[in-house]
Amino acid sequence: MAQVLSQDEVDALLNAVNDGDSDDLSFGGDSGDFDGGDDSDDNIQAYDLTNQDRVIRGRMPILEIISERFIRSFRVSLSNSLRKISTISMISTDLLKFGEFVNTLPIPSCMCIMRFNELRGPALLVFESKLAYAIIDSYFGGTDRPFTKIEGKEFTMIELSFMKKVMDMAINDLEEAWAPVHRIDAQYLRTEINPQFVGVVPPSDVIIATTLEVEFESASGTIMIVVPYSTIEPIKQKLSSSFQTDNDMADSIWTQAMNEHIKQAHATMVVKLGETNITVGDLVTLEKGDIIPLNQEASGEVVVEVEGVEKMKCLIGTHKGNRAVQITNVDKTIKREMSTTEE
């Protein structure tokens, strides 16, 4: 219960029940509601136990960072493609049901349906109609002036083909924005104009809609990046982290310094000429001149151990009057480590 009765209120309630005084108490009969005061109805909230809405707890700050990366990249791509300056800013990030989102979209709407193959889920890029027409007008050398009446106007195949170029640029920039966090492998599927035909997820599923505002000199409009929660749920832990590490971006200075320190480290190398097993009785009876046969031939390959780990094989010999070994085989593991160090 949200409100706990005081001891005086409990005593008054018990006394009223014992005295049979029901003037101050009322029971709701079939409904089973209890009225213990004038303002109790204000504290009662109806709850539907059959409601299966997904409850999403916690923020995902990394998702906001991804959106900022996309804004920076797509602003440059769009400005270079249209040969004019464009400004993109984030308006909001909302969580709502997919059915509610679809009902807010006008007809026509330029919607790019894509799929995140690595996450095995869909996503949407929704271009506001007036923004799409302004982009198309700029491609054809116009002044990107906004249309005064868009309702009921359909996109032609030529207009959709030019918007497909913009969508491809947006998908590429979106992949680059996601790359330091998780590879998404975004794939373009199709373009829809009627929101009712975009059934990528059930209407009751929760989506994350990020709204961006694109401004030109004479026109402006919005782009919405819509990602269902079910698509990013497998990597929610990455998106909820308060910090981010760019695993794909190696620190060359740190790596070079580490390699130099490793090259200067000392390691113990031992050449095993051979070994054998004898009893304690034979050991205590050994005398000078006795020969102990080993399991290794003098002309065969012997094992070289580095810090107690077998890493190489070699032949025994001499070099400039000194006893030496000639390496004949190197373990694949140490080859890989040595090549990594050289890089």
mmCIF file of all heavy atoms in Angstrom, residues 23 33 70 79 95 109 125 130 142 214 217 219 224 227 230 237 275 280 282 292 309 311 321:
data_model
loop_
_atom_site.group_PDB
_atom_site.id
_atom_site.type_symbol
_atom_site.label_atom_id
_atom_site.label_comp_id
_atom_site.label_asym_id
_atom_site.label_seq_id
_atom_site.Cartn_x
_atom_site.Cartn_y
_atom_site.Cartn_z
ATOM 1 N N ASP A 23 -21.497 4.069 10.125
ATOM 2 C CA ASP A 23 -21.808 5.313 9.413
ATOM 3 C C ASP A 23 -20.592 5.860 8.690
ATOM 4 O O ASP A 23 -20.707 6.451 7.613
ATOM 5 C CB ASP A 23 -22.320 6.370 10.407
ATOM 6 C CG ASP A 23 -23.645 5.955 11.014
ATOM 7 O OD1 ASP A 23 -24.317 5.086 10.394
ATOM 8 O OD2 ASP A 23 -23.993 6.465 12.092
ATOM 9 N N ASP A 33 -14.787 -2.477 -3.030
ATOM 10 C CA ASP A 33 -14.010 -1.272 -2.761
ATOM 11 C C ASP A 33 -14.281 -0.806 -1.343
ATOM 12 O O ASP A 33 -15.392 -0.928 -0.821
ATOM 13 C CB ASP A 33 -14.370 -0.154 -3.742
ATOM 14 C CG ASP A 33 -13.976 -0.525 -5.150
ATOM 15 O OD1 ASP A 33 -13.036 -1.347 -5.277
ATOM 16 O OD2 ASP A 33 -14.594 -0.001 -6.097
ATOM 17 N N PHE A 70 26.081 9.823 -36.169
ATOM 18 C CA PHE A 70 25.343 9.788 -37.435
ATOM 19 C C PHE A 70 25.062 11.194 -37.932
ATOM 20 O O PHE A 70 25.155 11.471 -39.140
ATOM 21 C CB PHE A 70 24.037 9.015 -37.251
ATOM 22 C CG PHE A 70 23.125 9.090 -38.432
ATOM 23 C CD1 PHE A 70 23.384 8.368 -39.586
ATOM 24 C CD2 PHE A 70 21.994 9.898 -38.402
ATOM 25 C CE1 PHE A 70 22.545 8.437 -40.682
ATOM 26 C CE2 PHE A 70 21.148 9.979 -39.490
ATOM 27 C CZ PHE A 70 21.422 9.250 -40.636
ATOM 28 N N SER A 79 25.462 17.393 -47.509
ATOM 29 C CA SER A 79 25.930 18.679 -48.046
ATOM 30 C C SER A 79 26.780 18.475 -49.294
ATOM 31 O O SER A 79 26.638 19.223 -50.277
ATOM 32 C CB SER A 79 26.730 19.433 -46.977
ATOM 33 O OG SER A 79 25.938 19.715 -45.842
ATOM 34 N N LEU A 95 10.216 6.832 -26.618
ATOM 35 C CA LEU A 95 9.825 5.430 -26.549
ATOM 36 C C LEU A 95 8.315 5.349 -26.623
ATOM 37 O O LEU A 95 7.614 5.956 -25.798
ATOM 38 C CB LEU A 95 10.312 4.776 -25.246
ATOM 39 C CG LEU A 95 11.747 4.247 -25.212
ATOM 40 C CD1 LEU A 95 12.735 5.389 -25.159
ATOM 41 C CD2 LEU A 95 11.958 3.318 -24.033
ATOM 42 N N SER A 109 4.478 9.436 -46.894
ATOM 43 C CA SER A 109 5.707 9.535 -46.118
ATOM 44 C C SER A 109 6.764 8.685 -46.809
ATOM 45 O O SER A 109 6.461 7.590 -47.284
ATOM 46 C CB SER A 109 5.491 9.050 -44.679
ATOM 47 O OG SER A 109 4.613 9.898 -43.972
ATOM 48 N N LEU A 125 14.000 4.327 -41.527
ATOM 49 C CA LEU A 125 14.406 5.722 -41.723
ATOM 50 C C LEU A 125 13.223 6.438 -42.360
ATOM 51 O O LEU A 125 12.833 6.109 -43.486
ATOM 52 C CB LEU A 125 15.633 5.822 -42.623
ATOM 53 C CG LEU A 125 17.013 5.669 -41.973
ATOM 54 C CD1 LEU A 125 18.093 5.670 -43.047
ATOM 55 C CD2 LEU A 125 17.269 6.790 -40.980
ATOM 56 N N LYS A 130 7.901 16.948 -46.846
ATOM 57 C CA LYS A 130 8.400 18.240 -47.332
ATOM 58 C C LYS A 130 9.918 18.253 -47.414
ATOM 59 O O LYS A 130 10.499 18.912 -48.280
ATOM 60 C CB LYS A 130 7.894 19.372 -46.444
ATOM 61 C CG LYS A 130 8.364 19.326 -45.003
ATOM 62 C CD LYS A 130 7.841 20.543 -44.238
ATOM 63 C CE LYS A 130 8.360 20.563 -42.807
ATOM 64 N NZ LYS A 130 7.880 21.766 -42.074
ATOM 65 N N GLY A 142 16.884 23.028 -58.205
ATOM 66 C CA GLY A 142 15.930 23.994 -57.675
ATOM 67 C C GLY A 142 16.466 24.717 -56.456
ATOM 68 O O GLY A 142 17.622 24.560 -56.058
ATOM 69 N N VAL A 214 16.452 18.593 -40.139
ATOM 70 C CA VAL A 214 17.367 18.969 -41.209
ATOM 71 C C VAL A 214 16.927 20.330 -41.737
ATOM 72 O O VAL A 214 15.760 20.521 -42.088
ATOM 73 C CB VAL A 214 17.367 17.925 -42.345
ATOM 74 C CG1 VAL A 214 18.370 18.319 -43.425
ATOM 75 C CG2 VAL A 214 17.703 16.544 -41.792
ATOM 76 N N GLU A 217 18.547 26.256 -46.651
ATOM 77 C CA GLU A 217 18.376 27.718 -46.671
ATOM 78 C C GLU A 217 16.907 28.104 -46.758
ATOM 79 O O GLU A 217 16.479 29.064 -46.117
ATOM 80 C CB GLU A 217 19.142 28.301 -47.858
ATOM 81 C CG GLU A 217 19.101 29.822 -47.920
ATOM 82 C CD GLU A 217 19.919 30.362 -49.068
ATOM 83 O OE1 GLU A 217 20.627 29.553 -49.729
ATOM 84 O OE2 GLU A 217 19.864 31.579 -49.302
ATOM 85 N N ALA A 219 14.195 25.581 -46.746
ATOM 86 C CA ALA A 219 13.276 24.529 -46.320
ATOM 87 C C ALA A 219 13.874 23.773 -45.147
ATOM 88 O O ALA A 219 15.072 23.871 -44.845
ATOM 89 C CB ALA A 219 12.988 23.565 -47.480
ATOM 90 N N MET A 224 13.424 10.603 -38.997
ATOM 91 C CA MET A 224 13.269 9.785 -37.802
ATOM 92 C C MET A 224 13.965 8.446 -37.997
ATOM 93 O O MET A 224 13.734 7.761 -39.003
ATOM 94 C CB MET A 224 11.789 9.578 -37.476
ATOM 95 C CG MET A 224 11.138 10.803 -36.858
ATOM 96 S SD MET A 224 9.411 10.540 -36.417
ATOM 97 C CE MET A 224 8.651 10.629 -38.032
ATOM 98 N N VAL A 227 14.074 2.331 -34.346
ATOM 99 C CA VAL A 227 14.658 1.011 -34.063
ATOM 100 C C VAL A 227 13.780 0.316 -33.032
ATOM 101 O O VAL A 227 13.607 0.838 -31.929
ATOM 102 C CB VAL A 227 16.099 1.140 -33.535
ATOM 103 C CG1 VAL A 227 16.693 -0.242 -33.279
ATOM 104 C CG2 VAL A 227 16.967 1.921 -34.513
ATOM 105 N N SER A 230 13.110 -4.679 -29.581
ATOM 106 C CA SER A 230 13.472 -6.089 -29.736
ATOM 107 C C SER A 230 14.724 -6.265 -30.587
ATOM 108 O O SER A 230 15.424 -7.275 -30.466
ATOM 109 C CB SER A 230 12.306 -6.863 -30.366
ATOM 110 O OG SER A 230 11.950 -6.298 -31.625
ATOM 111 N N GLN A 237 23.109 -4.189 -22.874
ATOM 112 C CA GLN A 237 24.154 -3.934 -21.900
ATOM 113 C C GLN A 237 25.205 -2.980 -22.455
ATOM 114 O O GLN A 237 25.722 -2.111 -21.745
ATOM 115 C CB GLN A 237 24.804 -5.255 -21.470
ATOM 116 C CG GLN A 237 25.752 -5.126 -20.281
ATOM 117 C CD GLN A 237 25.034 -4.706 -19.008
ATOM 118 O OE1 GLN A 237 23.860 -5.023 -18.821
ATOM 119 N NE2 GLN A 237 25.722 -3.972 -18.154
ATOM 120 N N GLU A 275 66.293 -36.822 -21.826
ATOM 121 C CA GLU A 275 65.924 -37.191 -20.467
ATOM 122 C C GLU A 275 65.680 -38.689 -20.410
ATOM 123 O O GLU A 275 65.516 -39.363 -21.445
ATOM 124 C CB GLU A 275 64.674 -36.438 -20.014
ATOM 125 C CG GLU A 275 63.462 -36.652 -20.881
ATOM 126 C CD GLU A 275 62.289 -35.788 -20.461
ATOM 127 O OE1 GLU A 275 62.487 -34.829 -19.703
ATOM 128 O OE2 GLU A 275 61.176 -36.098 -20.909
ATOM 129 N N VAL A 280 65.707 -45.208 -8.016
ATOM 130 C CA VAL A 280 66.530 -44.620 -6.955
ATOM 131 C C VAL A 280 67.725 -45.515 -6.659
ATOM 132 O O VAL A 280 68.833 -45.061 -6.360
ATOM 133 C CB VAL A 280 65.678 -44.381 -5.692
ATOM 134 C CG1 VAL A 280 66.546 -43.843 -4.542
ATOM 135 C CG2 VAL A 280 64.540 -43.417 -5.984
ATOM 136 N N ASP A 282 69.384 -47.376 -8.821
ATOM 137 C CA ASP A 282 70.422 -47.116 -9.829
ATOM 138 C C ASP A 282 71.086 -45.769 -9.600
ATOM 139 O O ASP A 282 72.287 -45.587 -9.861
ATOM 140 C CB ASP A 282 69.825 -47.166 -11.233
ATOM 141 C CG ASP A 282 69.334 -48.556 -11.601
ATOM 142 O OD1 ASP A 282 69.836 -49.528 -11.011
ATOM 143 O OD2 ASP A 282 68.437 -48.654 -12.482
ATOM 144 N N ILE A 292 74.680 -42.972 -19.003
ATOM 145 C CA ILE A 292 73.221 -42.935 -18.841
ATOM 146 C C ILE A 292 72.608 -42.749 -20.220
ATOM 147 O O ILE A 292 72.772 -41.688 -20.839
ATOM 148 C CB ILE A 292 72.789 -41.791 -17.905
ATOM 149 C CG1 ILE A 292 73.445 -41.934 -16.524
ATOM 150 C CG2 ILE A 292 71.267 -41.764 -17.761
ATOM 151 C CD1 ILE A 292 73.148 -40.780 -15.589
ATOM 152 N N VAL A 309 58.305 -23.506 -21.443
ATOM 153 C CA VAL A 309 57.298 -23.913 -22.431
ATOM 154 C C VAL A 309 58.019 -24.300 -23.718
ATOM 155 O O VAL A 309 58.882 -23.555 -24.203
ATOM 156 C CB VAL A 309 56.285 -22.787 -22.703
ATOM 157 C CG1 VAL A 309 55.249 -23.239 -23.727
ATOM 158 C CG2 VAL A 309 55.602 -22.360 -21.405
ATOM 159 N N LYS A 311 58.863 -24.388 -27.334
ATOM 160 C CA LYS A 311 58.564 -23.428 -28.384
ATOM 161 C C LYS A 311 59.271 -23.744 -29.700
ATOM 162 O O LYS A 311 58.763 -23.384 -30.755
ATOM 163 C CB LYS A 311 58.961 -22.010 -27.936
ATOM 164 C CG LYS A 311 58.063 -21.413 -26.870
ATOM 165 C CD LYS A 311 56.657 -21.203 -27.404
ATOM 166 C CE LYS A 311 55.762 -20.534 -26.382
ATOM 167 N NZ LYS A 311 54.394 -20.347 -26.909
ATOM 168 N N GLY A 321 83.686 -22.295 -32.420
ATOM 169 C CA GLY A 321 84.284 -22.905 -31.248
ATOM 170 C C GLY A 321 83.381 -22.964 -30.038
ATOM 171 O O GLY A 321 83.790 -23.472 -28.983
#
